[in-house]
């Protein structure tokens, strides 16, 4: 069954309202199955582009941004009993936010001015929290970065990692100088 974007947005709005009215009921399956996966609507519409509007009023509204990440995670991920499409809850999770350089060397640099260049750490925290609600433990989450690792503090990533308990590592080493234990090569057929 295909679903239109309008129907998905309407369903998401209803799901969001149900979270307010019934906060202990999840959108998907609420019993532990050992697997999680993408919302069935997303799976059934692989060519669709979904856009989520938020009510965040300011790029410095950290709690509103975290709530938007939580809402996003709750609308995208759910428990499933389908082992063929689900991912085991014991799986390690690698998160790759857009952590580019914040241009700290610029005379015009400010933390607030550079927001929007990188994925907001509070949004990522909300997504992590949504996955933790499904039963995934903090120690299963990993973020690695090689772009401007000194910028992670300004971006709030060091504090976010401390709050969530995830494994965040910044590698300030050119790829040609990495040791074999720092590299995991994977073949990606037809990548």
């Amino acid at each position: 069954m295909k679903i239109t974007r309008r129907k998905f947005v309407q369903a998401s709005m209803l799901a969001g309202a149900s979270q307010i009215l019934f906060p202990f009921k999840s959108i998907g399956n609420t019993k532990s199955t050992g697997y999680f996966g993408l919302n069935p609507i997303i799976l059934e519409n692989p060519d669709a582009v979904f856009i989520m509007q938020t009510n965040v009023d300011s790029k410095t509204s950290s709690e509103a941004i975290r709530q938007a990440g939580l809402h996003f995670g709750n609308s995208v991920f759910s428990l499933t009993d389908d082992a063929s499409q689900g991912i085991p809850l014991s799986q390690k999770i690698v998160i790759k936010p857009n952590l580019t350089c914040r241009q700290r060397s610029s005379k015009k640099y400010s933390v607030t001015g550079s927001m929007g260049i990188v994925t907001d750490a509070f949004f990522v925290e909300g997504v992590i929290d949504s996955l933790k609600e499904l039963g995934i433990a903090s120690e299963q989450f990993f973020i690695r970065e090689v772009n401007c690792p000194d910028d992670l503090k300004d971006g709030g990533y060091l504090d976010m990692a401390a709050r969530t308990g995830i494994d965040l590592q910044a590698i300030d080493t050119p790829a040609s100088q990495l040791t074999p234990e720092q590299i995991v090569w994977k073949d990606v057929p037809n990548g």
Side-chain angles (χ1 to χ4, degrees):
M1 172 185 127
K2 292 282 185 179
I3 186 166
T4 65
R5 288 186 185 125
R6 180 179 304 277
K7 292 282 186 198
F8 178 78
V9 170
Q10 289 172 340
S12 294
M13 290 169 58
L14 288 172
S18 73
Q19 289 288 1
I20 292 168
L21 297 173
F22 308 103
F24 299 107
K25 290 188 177 184
S26 163
I27 293 172
N29 188 353
T30 58
K31 64 182 183 354
S32 179
T33 62
Y35 299 96
F36 77 101
L38 290 174
N39 180 312
I41 295 170
I42 296 170
L43 284 174
E44 293 167 8
N45 295 279
D47 296 329
V49 174
F50 300 100
I51 298 170
M52 184 184 100
Q53 292 182 326
T54 72
N55 292 324
V56 177
D57 62 346
S58 168
K59 66 182 179 180
T60 59
S61 297
S62 54
E63 182 53 27
I65 294 168
R66 192 190 73 74
Q67 286 295 322
L70 181 65
H71 175 68
F72 171 80
N74 285 336
S75 65
V76 171
F77 304 109
S78 62
L79 293 174
T80 180
D81 55 4
D82 185 350
S84 67
Q85 292 197 348
I87 300 164
L89 289 171
S90 59
Q91 181 72 37
K92 292 180 180 178
I93 309 292
V94 177
I95 299 174
K96 179 58 179 102
N98 186 36
L99 299 179
T100 59
C101 297
R102 298 176 73 95
Q103 306 302 319
R104 290 173 61 209
S105 61
S106 170
K107 291 179 184 177
K108 296 180 181 181
Y109 173 77
S110 71
V111 172
T112 305
S114 66
M115 289 176 152
I117 295 174
V118 300
T119 305
D120 192 283
F122 286 99
F123 186 85
V124 174
E125 182 175 348
V127 173
I128 290 168
D129 288 345
S130 73
L131 290 164
K132 286 169 127 181
E133 288 176 357
L134 297 179
I136 300 172
S138 297
E139 57 271 5
Q140 292 173 240
F141 293 96
F142 299 85
I143 295 179
R144 298 292 184 268
E145 189 54 62
V146 295
N147 291 318
C148 303
D150 293 339
D151 289 0
L152 294 178
K153 182 174 179 12
D154 283 2
Y157 274 86
L158 299 181
D159 290 339
M160 181 274 294
R163 285 191 303 272
T164 59
I166 68 165
D167 186 336
L168 168 68
Q169 291 185 29
I171 303 169
D172 191 14
T173 306
S176 62
Q177 297 176 12
L178 292 173
T179 63
E181 56 272 358
Q182 289 177 296
I183 301 172
V184 177
W185 293 103
K186 294 285 183 181
D187 290 328
V188 182
N190 302 315

